[in-house]
Amino acid sequence: KAGVTQTPRYLIKTRGQQVTLSCSPISGHRSVSWYQQTPGQGLQFLFEYFSETQRNKGNFPGRFSGRQFSNSRSEMNVSTLELGDSALYLCASSLGTTGTKEGNTIYFGEGSWLTVV
Amino acid sequence: AQSVAQPEDQVNVAEGNPLTVKCTYSVSGNPYLFWYVQYPNRGLQFLLKYITGDNLVKGSYGFEAEFNKSQTSFHLKKPSALVSDSALYFCAVRDTGGSTLGRLYFGRGTQLTVWP
């Protein structure tokens, strides 16, 4: 069974540009969430989507947005990039329910390394 | 609100010795607790979880964790450390329902170094 797939793995952008990151969850998983990881702030929750609806949102500015498609694939977009947006962006997927023990496990992808120059 | 604390930024242990990485949590309700490991330039790998049942949970790569409700702790353990266990370890707690169901709350991480 394939894991969580994130593309691209590495990218470099210039301040002011925008970027779109993609995530394909594990087959059958309906929940996709995004996290930002930086050395200073650690792992910070961005948002979670379940069945194409944003179910939860972290404390990030409106420049950070996301969406989920009917096949559960998700994208996140960051507009007007700032130097401080340089980070590892992690996507995670799960069944999105608590009905089973397996439904409670959240699996992560390898991440997308974003460098803003 | 849920929160997780990992009191040690760094843990150093000799290969072959037992290791413990500490985690305490604060939740409103029953906790769903997790441990993840991150190797350099990689994503997070799931190690083990506690949902209900036995307080001692066994996971991948010989790791186990002990859930202690009275001490609100979920320490990660391994009887005999390997150099290849050197990595960054994260403890996390998940909401058990509602609109925040899919969100994990992470600790700051503990860098484990196992020397030969």
Side-chain angles (χ1 to χ4, degrees):
Chain A
K1 192 170 179 180
V4 180
T5 304
Q6 292 187 243
T7 57
R9 289 293 318 281
Y10 304 92
L11 65 167
I12 301 173
K13 291 287 187 177
T14 304
R15 272 182 301 175
Q17 287 186 315
Q18 73 164 11
V19 66
T20 299
L21 308 178
S22 180
C23 174
S24 292
I26 292 170
S27 177
H29 284 190
R30 294 164 63 192
S31 167
V32 174
S33 50
W34 290 87
Y35 293 81
Q36 181 197 65
Q37 185 179 22
T38 59
Q41 299 298 318
L43 283 156
Q44 293 187 286
F45 174 78
L46 281 156
F47 28 66
E48 186 226 356
Y49 288 86
F50 180 79
S51 293
E52 301 180 67
T53 301
Q54 188 181 83
R55 186 158 67 173
N56 195 12
K57 189 177 190 304
N59 189 25
F60 276 81
R63 300 186 296 106
F64 292 81
S65 62
R67 58 178 176 168
Q68 186 180 32
F69 302 96
S70 58
N71 62 359
S72 292
R73 192 176 68 84
S74 176
E75 289 181 347
M76 69 161 283
N77 184 276
V78 187
S79 62
T80 320
L81 284 165
E82 300 176 0
L83 295 178
D85 298 332
S86 296
L88 175 64
Y89 290 87
L90 292 163
C91 171
S93 81
S94 73
L95 290 173
T97 66
T98 58
T100 65
K101 281 196 172 185
E102 178 51 37
N104 295 298
T105 304
I106 297 177
Y107 297 93
F108 285 80
E110 291 291 342
S112 291
W113 286 94
L114 171 64
T115 301
V116 182
V117 297
Chain B
Q2 327 288 32
S3 68
V4 172
Q6 292 181 242
E8 301 159 317
D9 290 336
Q10 199 146 26
V11 169
N12 298 310
V13 64
E15 187 173 36
N17 283 0
L19 69 88
T20 299
V21 182
K22 295 180 181 178
C23 171
T24 59
Y25 65 89
S26 174
V27 301
S28 51
N30 293 322
Y32 289 170
L33 294 159
F34 301 83
W35 276 102
Y36 290 87
V37 60
Q38 186 176 36
Y39 296 98
N41 302 318
R42 303 293 299 275
L44 300 181
Q45 291 183 30
F46 168 73
L47 275 180
L48 51 79
K49 67 184 177 188
Y50 172 83
I51 306 299
T52 61
D54 291 339
N55 290 340
L56 186 63
V57 178
K58 294 191 183 296
S60 307
Y61 312 120
F63 284 93
E64 57 190 27
E66 187 169 12
F67 171 68
N68 187 316
K69 188 172 184 178
S70 62
Q71 297 185 5
T72 62
S73 67
F74 189 55
H75 300 331
L76 181 70
K77 300 181 180 185
K78 188 173 183 181
S80 179
L82 299 172
V83 172
S84 57
D85 292 331
S86 298
L88 187 56
Y89 290 80
F90 289 97
C91 180
V93 64
R94 178 179 180 177
D95 279 328
T96 56
S99 63
T100 56
L101 175 62
R103 176 176 180 170
L104 284 170
Y105 299 81
F106 284 94
R108 296 283 299 178
T110 298
Q111 180 65 49
L112 172 67
T113 301
V114 181
W115 72 82

